Amino acid sequence: MASYELVIKNGVLVGSRADPRRADLAADRGRIVAIEEPGRLGPGVRTIDAGGLYVMPGAIDPHVHLGMGGGFGSFQADTGSAAIGGVSSLFTILIDSGPYEPLIAEHREVLDRVSHVDFGFHLTLMTDEHVDALAGLAERWGVNSYKYYMSFRGDEGAYLGIEGTDDGAFHSILTGVAAVDGVLQIHPENIEVVWRLRDKVRASGRDDLRAWDESRPAFVEAESIWRASFFADLVGARVYFVHLSSAHALAAVRGARAAFPGSTLLAETCPHYLTHTHDSELGVVGKINPPLRGDDDVSAVWEAVGDGTMDTVGSDHVGRRLEMKRGSIWTASAGFPGLPTVLPVLLSEGHHRRGLPLPEIARLAARRPAEIFGCADRKGDLRVGMDADLAIVDLDWTREVDSSMLGTWADYSIYDGWSLTGWPRYTVVRGVVVQENGDLVGPPGWGQHIRRG
């Protein structure tokens, strides 16, 4: 009988296109080479008995901000935290007002040395020079996905080095992305309305998460979705709305899909919009854009996850430490860590609490990110020939979350003290076990760049 580098025996395989089934899986040279009925595969250099466990495609986090809290020094910790949470691949967003070649090369060099998981890039577009460079960047670096902040007008994005934008620039960027058959991630918020509301709420003396929500209400998210969808339909661009947080936003996505049936309008949410509200005891630690909303919005987001409206779930991970979250709701830094808790939240709060089927979790967490961002030929599902990226999940494993066990650069989690049921016992990246029972066991630098396009 053949000998394989890795054999997973007695597990229940969970792809996104069929019911779970008991089978054995073999990996060799980084790829899945066999899926057979239990007992039919030969030995492996390493064999894992997955009896009682569920073998899922490794999660792909499509929305990560590596280095925003700790620079390059945080990359090893945060990619390790991804593996702890069953994430085998991630896409991180690069931001530069100048040419992207040097920044891509610099990030590649660091991540090639320290990343525990595979990685790709989205490029933030701001200028005509960025648009002119898209075809060359796709050819040279295999990048075909981009980011645009509708909210960064005037000096709103100056703290990140992002130049102010306008609708003319937006139209030009959409046209350029369409010309290279890319996909544009869009942060949808009408900041001009926010400016007025924010000043009014702040002047009232309020300093809480509800005040932050009222200063950036759900309708400013929904209005921007309609405007972006109209422009995208005009020029034939594929767009992907990030971190949708509200019933208003989801109604806008559904309405725009009906109004522009020939357009590709994709939707992402984040775990925090499934679990937290503006009444959370997190206080200023829960500040994020768009804000945490109300109970009705949490229910609406879960409904969109369950009925297929939502394409993906991304963490919007920012590894800033707690000291950067101190101050008032108006001055503290926005964003928080989330890479290692995406899959456990979907399993615990989605599958166990709400009956979300495991194949649907595989679709949201793996297959759709791979399809949307151009790597479905080798990632995102369990088939012979695909990369052997696996999250081998114990659905009965309950863990009380403590930030120290998650391994992020940040020193807290919004899930600290929560009991989540459903964690990966093993995370496998291209046939190599990189996480086992909550501990990193794979070498830094195993992760590879995901070339697309």
Side-chain angles (χ1 to χ4, degrees):
M1 301 176 74
S3 179
Y4 306 102
E5 291 175 355
L6 178 68
V7 173
I8 313 295
K9 289 185 173 292
N10 304 315
V12 178
L13 268 59
V14 181
S16 63
R17 304 174 190 270
D19 291 336
R21 66 185 179 98
R22 191 169 298 279
D24 294 348
L25 179 150
D28 207 64
R29 299 181 183 179
R31 298 291 181 100
I32 298 172
V33 295
I35 296 175
E36 298 285 354
E37 295 299 314
R40 295 186 60 183
L41 288 179
V45 174
R46 176 169 186 181
T47 299
I48 294 174
D49 185 351
L53 304 180
Y54 290 76
V55 182
M56 304 182 70
I60 300 172
D61 194 327
H63 189 167
V64 176
H65 297 273
L66 289 181
M68 196 166 279
F72 290 144
S74 64
F75 283 16
Q76 183 171 324
D78 279 351
T79 60
S81 79
I84 287 171
V87 174
S88 56
S89 301
L90 61 83
F91 288 91
T92 187
I93 297 166
L94 305 188
I95 298 173
D96 200 313
S97 60
Y100 271 108
E101 292 257 2
L103 196 64
I104 296 171
E106 191 175 28
H107 279 71
R108 275 289 310 273
E109 190 275 328
V110 175
L111 286 165
D112 283 344
R113 285 191 289 106
V114 305
S115 184
H116 288 273
V117 300
D118 287 354
F119 57 90
F121 303 117
H122 309 303
L123 309 180
T124 303
L125 303 183
M126 306 174 222
T127 67
D128 290 342
E129 289 75 20
H130 284 165
V131 173
D132 293 341
L134 293 182
L137 291 170
E139 181 178 356
R140 177 169 169 76
W141 294 101
V143 177
N144 68 347
S145 53
Y146 315 97
K147 181 73 179 283
Y148 178 80
Y149 293 84
M150 295 181 76
S151 58
F152 284 164
R153 300 195 174 208
D155 62 357
E156 188 72 19
Y159 74 103
L160 291 177
I162 297 177
E163 297 184 8
T165 191
D166 54 48
D167 283 344
F170 184 30
H171 180 269
S172 177
I173 286 169
L174 279 168
T175 302
V177 170
V180 296
D181 194 27
V183 60
L184 185 65
Q185 293 183 308
I186 294 176
H187 177 131
E189 285 186 295
N190 186 324
I191 199 65
E192 293 173 353
V193 176
V194 171
W195 285 336
R196 295 216 174 209
L197 296 177
R198 189 168 61 195
D199 290 346
K200 183 178 179 180
V201 178
R202 187 173 185 177
S204 73
R206 302 267 305 283
D207 185 24
D208 53 29
L209 285 174
R210 273 186 177 257
W212 190 246
D213 183 10
E214 290 174 23
S215 75
R216 306 175 84 103
F219 77 82
V220 306
E221 188 179 23
E223 183 277 336
S224 292
I225 289 169
W226 274 109
R227 181 157 35 100
S229 299
F230 177 73
F231 279 180
D233 184 66
L234 280 177
V235 303
R238 292 186 295 151
V239 297
Y240 172 101
F241 295 110
V242 297
H243 48 47
L244 299 185
S245 68
S246 65
H248 276 308
L250 293 163
V253 168
R254 293 185 180 105
R257 285 172 174 171
F260 309 115
S263 291
T264 300
L265 308 174
L266 303 158
E268 169 204 279
T269 194
C270 305
H272 39 276
Y273 300 121
L274 297 168
T275 56
H276 288 72
T277 74
H278 54 207
D279 292 321
S280 165
E281 296 181 359
L282 287 171
V284 71
V285 171
K287 177 181 175 180
I288 195 165
N289 299 323
L292 300 175
R293 308 292 190 187
D295 288 325
D296 289 346
D297 293 298
V298 170
S299 296
V301 177
W302 273 117
E303 180 182 358
V305 166
D307 69 14
T309 299
M310 206 68 70
D311 290 284
T312 68
V313 178
S315 67
D316 197 7
H317 173 90
V318 174
R320 295 190 179 111
R321 290 185 169 169
L322 197 57
E323 63 189 35
M324 300 183 72
K325 301 292 291 184
R326 303 196 189 280
S328 76
I329 200 71
W330 310 106
T331 60
S333 176
F336 38 68
L339 252 172
T341 44
V342 176
L343 188 57
V345 165
L346 287 173
L347 293 169
S348 187
E349 299 300 298
H351 179 68
H352 285 299
R353 187 173 177 185
R354 293 172 174 83
L356 188 66
L358 293 177
E360 182 63 13
I361 293 175
R363 181 189 78 88
L364 289 160
R367 178 169 68 85
R368 286 300 283 147
E371 289 173 344
I372 291 165
F373 296 112
C375 55
D377 59 325
R378 59 197 185 280
K379 294 189 179 293
D381 218 338
L382 303 180
R383 300 196 309 273
V384 171
M386 304 286 281
D387 283 356
D389 294 344
L390 312 171
I392 304 176
V393 169
D394 184 345
L395 285 181
D396 298 322
W397 191 13
T398 298
R399 307 178 76 190
E400 182 175 325
V401 177
D402 181 279
S403 60
S404 63
M405 79 188 202
L406 299 177
T408 69
W409 177 259
D411 50 359
Y412 68 99
S413 166
I414 65 168
Y415 296 103
D416 279 333
W418 284 49
S419 288
L420 297 177
T421 301
W423 291 82
R425 289 286 184 179
Y426 303 87
T427 304
V428 179
V429 177
R430 287 176 287 103
V432 170
V433 176
V434 297
Q435 178 274 135
E436 185 172 349
N437 293 320
D439 296 322
L440 289 176
V441 296
W446 177 248
Q448 290 183 353
H449 177 241
I450 303 168
R451 183 180 176 87
R452 304 159 289 143

